[in-house]
Amino acid sequence: SVKDLSIHIRSARPVDGVSFDIAAGECFTLLGESGCGKSMTALGLMRLLPAAAEVAGGSVRFEGTDLLALPESGMRDIRGGGIGMIFQEPATSLNPVLTVGRQIVEALELHSTLRGAAARERAEELLAQVGIPDPRRRLDEFPFQLSGGLRQRVMIAIALAGAPRLLIADEPTTALDVTIQAQVLDLLDDLRRTQGMALLLITHDLGVVARMADRVGVMYAGQLVEDAPREAFFARPAHPYSVRLFAALPDAARRGGRLATIPGSVPPADARHAGCRFVERCGEAMAACRNELPPWREIAGGQRVRCHLADAAPAVEAKVGQPSPSFPLPEGEGSSLPPLSLRERGRERGIGDTAIPAGETPLLAVADLQVHFPIRRGLLQRAVGAVRAVDGLSLQLMPGRTLALVGESGCGKTTAGKAMLQLIRPTAGSVRLAGVELTTRSAGELRPLRAQMQMVFQDPFASLNPRLRIGDIIAEGMLALKPDAGDAAPASAALLERVGLRADMAARYPHEFSGGQRQRIAIARALAVSPQLLICDEPTS
């Protein structure tokens, strides 16, 4: 039971008066954009806030115990066993110097009676439950040896090891492919129903919400603005912000038209608000919205909304329970263009005819690419085999085109992308960029070509230098690869605005941003040198 929870970081208020209850066996989901305070709320419940943050008010009660009044020793008993948490970024949450098996066994030893071989056997069962292939071998591997999706599954296994009564899952399936996502969601749903485990699910995926949620809380700028049962929320979202979240969903039927985005960005956490926090981005705002804090209003069916406008949000048709729901645009939202032919759609996006003209030279040509990693055993670490991460990949990418590489976690997609850019040296094969062979070139010879090819990495936190401000991170590529481009600061500010961040954020460090905001910084950095080839590894996860 959370009542009026407020979290302050100096003058900023990333969480400001949040209240909700979760019953045993219930799934409550938190929805909202990056930077709305969802992850900060979860960290506040676990008392794992960063050093500069503090709980300024409110209460958090778990099974009748006030968590904010407990000493740290008492919270250590609650964490893992009473309340488990799946963190947003597995690469930074797993200990890099301990094997996967050791980290799971550690949780089992703390929160169960299992020891030794029995704990290791249970750890293997947990890895199998979350869909990790060859779990016995994976127990002895380190996190860096696993793909992003496999690390995400390890995090889920560790969280489930303590059999928590409440599980806080912060974007638990973003790095997973659809088949494993379904498997993990089924596992969480089964535990919820059979063991009465409560689930606080933080996600931006409306398909996951439709499948898992009992109730939905929509969060904006540190406050809840709507609280509703799943059926009521999908049948008729009440807050203008909720309606715009539905409208922003990509839809294959609107391919060739512009996506319906919400203009502007989430206000900074240190901004002061006299009225509604969504007022600057709301097309239905009235004078009262700017000057008076909207009260909670009850709507039929247990739905509540914090808005001055009565029935301002248009109805949105939806089918509840579908894994990837598709919702039409509400009246007056976005710009849906009339149907276009394939050729017209291509011209609309500036790529010419859909058919590849005869004689056109590929920008990227990959032939029989192989990346093998040796398996070493014994005291002398002799190679006893090899992991064939990429084994004979060939593809061509034309200028101005988009090629999608699709597959499950662990299929070798990320390794292939890094090998194309020579960030991992391939075992065999050919990679040609605009006719230039890359595999035979040294690091020094590749340097002049780096401005032509860039990558958006899968894990934004691990790929951003924690000691540099984000303005310097974005400008670094321009200064290193295009020194004659002039002052990089204005270009960095423009890129920040382009990816939905404010220019005055350039002086902040990566740890001061949410996971989604760090993803945008990584995208801005890749675009900074205007590359001809952009390899995007899960760029919107």
Side-chain angles (χ1 to χ4, degrees), residues 127-450:
L127 289 184
Q129 269 189 317
V130 296
I132 291 184
D134 195 5
R136 180 166 297 180
R137 177 171 66 88
R138 297 293 190 183
L139 284 174
D140 296 317
E141 293 187 347
F142 292 89
F144 74 87
Q145 295 175 279
L146 307 180
S147 70
L150 291 177
R151 285 196 292 261
Q152 185 84 55
R153 290 182 241 177
V154 171
M155 275 296 308
I156 295 170
I158 292 173
L160 297 177
R165 278 96 68 193
L166 168 65
L167 180 64
I168 301 173
D170 190 359
E171 305 279 9
T173 59
T174 49
L176 305 182
D177 53 83
V178 289
T179 54
I180 298 301
Q181 182 186 79
Q183 181 178 327
V184 168
L185 291 178
D186 284 343
L187 174 62
L188 295 179
D189 200 45
D190 182 60
L191 290 171
R192 189 167 66 90
R193 297 181 188 281
T194 58
Q195 300 180 13
M197 180 184 75
L199 181 60
L200 172 59
L201 181 62
I202 298 170
T203 181
H204 62 260
D205 190 332
L206 286 165
V208 172
V209 175
R211 176 173 180 160
M212 295 290 291
D214 294 310
R215 287 189 304 116
V216 181
V218 180
M219 199 165 183
Y220 184 78
Q223 288 186 335
L224 283 178
V225 295
E226 185 169 352
D227 183 354
R230 178 190 61 177
E231 291 80 3
F233 179 71
F234 277 84
R236 188 178 179 83
H239 197 280
Y241 178 60
S242 304
V243 175
R244 284 165 173 79
L245 289 180
F246 279 101
L249 283 175
D251 188 342
R254 299 201 299 271
R255 183 176 171 88
R258 294 188 65 82
L259 291 173
T261 58
I262 307 176
S265 59
V266 179
D270 56 357
R272 293 293 174 261
H273 307 271
C276 176
R277 303 189 173 198
F278 188 61
V279 64
E280 298 297 335
R281 308 173 74 188
C282 182
E284 297 87 12
M286 308 180 300
C289 298
R290 296 185 177 276
N291 304 318
E292 301 173 22
L293 184 67
W296 280 104
R297 286 192 296 107
E298 297 286 341
I299 304 177
Q303 192 171 10
R304 300 189 308 145
V305 63
R306 179 178 274 176
C307 185
H308 287 297
L309 307 166
D311 298 324
V316 177
E317 298 177 6
K319 294 180 180 179
V320 178
Q322 299 216 354
S324 297
S326 178
F327 305 96
L329 279 169
E331 290 292 326
E333 285 295 325
S335 59
S336 184
L337 300 181
L340 301 173
S341 68
L342 284 176
R343 182 169 296 185
E344 287 171 331
R345 289 172 186 167
R347 196 174 296 116
E348 181 81 13
R349 293 191 296 277
I351 62 170
D353 292 338
T354 303
I356 297 170
E360 185 174 352
T361 304
L363 175 65
L364 177 68
V366 180
D368 296 320
L369 185 67
Q370 297 181 17
V371 183
H372 297 174
F373 297 108
I375 301 173
R376 301 187 183 277
R377 298 272 168 80
L379 185 63
L380 299 179
Q381 291 292 289
R382 289 194 176 95
V384 296
V387 175
R388 298 173 182 267
V390 180
D391 199 21
L393 175 71
S394 299
L395 56 86
Q396 289 188 346
L397 179 59
M398 299 296 171
R401 306 300 171 107
T402 299
L403 173 68
L405 198 58
V406 182
E408 296 185 54
S409 299
C411 281
K413 304 185 300 297
T414 298
T415 303
K418 290 180 177 179
M420 291 174 204
L421 297 188
Q422 306 304 300
L423 300 177
I424 295 175
R425 285 295 189 175
T427 307
S430 167
V431 180
R432 302 180 72 85
L433 179 69
V436 178
E437 179 62 53
L438 302 182
T439 58
T440 58
R441 293 181 172 254
S442 66
E445 291 170 328
L446 284 170
R447 184 179 174 86
L449 300 172
R450 289 292 177 199

Side-chain angles (χ1 to χ4, degrees), residues 35-169:
C36 279
K38 305 184 302 296
S39 296
M40 191 66 72
T41 299
L43 293 174
L45 305 187
M46 294 285 282
R47 283 178 47 185
L48 292 174
L49 292 169
E54 62 174 357
V55 176
S59 67
V60 179
R61 302 189 73 84
F62 175 70
E63 296 179 333
T65 302
D66 186 356
L67 299 186
L68 302 182
L70 282 179
E72 179 58 26
S73 58
M75 276 304 300
R76 282 200 295 269
D77 294 333
I78 295 289
R79 294 189 196 110
I83 305 177
M85 185 162 180
I86 301 169
F87 295 94
Q88 190 174 24
E89 289 165 315
T92 56
S93 305
L94 295 173
N95 191 325
V97 299
L98 295 181
T99 63
V100 163
R102 179 62 217 149
Q103 295 185 62
I104 301 176
V105 167
E106 182 180 44
L108 290 168
E109 289 175 345
L110 280 170
H111 302 293
S112 73
T113 58
L114 297 177
R115 298 290 184 274
R120 184 177 171 86
E121 185 177 341
R122 176 59 182 152
E124 186 179 334
E125 290 175 4
L126 285 166
L127 289 184
Q129 269 189 317
V130 296
I132 291 184
D134 195 5
R136 180 166 297 180
R137 177 171 66 88
R138 297 293 190 183
L139 284 174
D140 296 317
E141 293 187 347
F142 292 89
F144 74 87
Q145 295 175 279
L146 307 180
S147 70
L150 291 177
R151 285 196 292 261
Q152 185 84 55
R153 290 182 241 177
V154 171
M155 275 296 308
I156 295 170
I158 292 173
L160 297 177
R165 278 96 68 193
L166 168 65
L167 180 64
I168 301 173

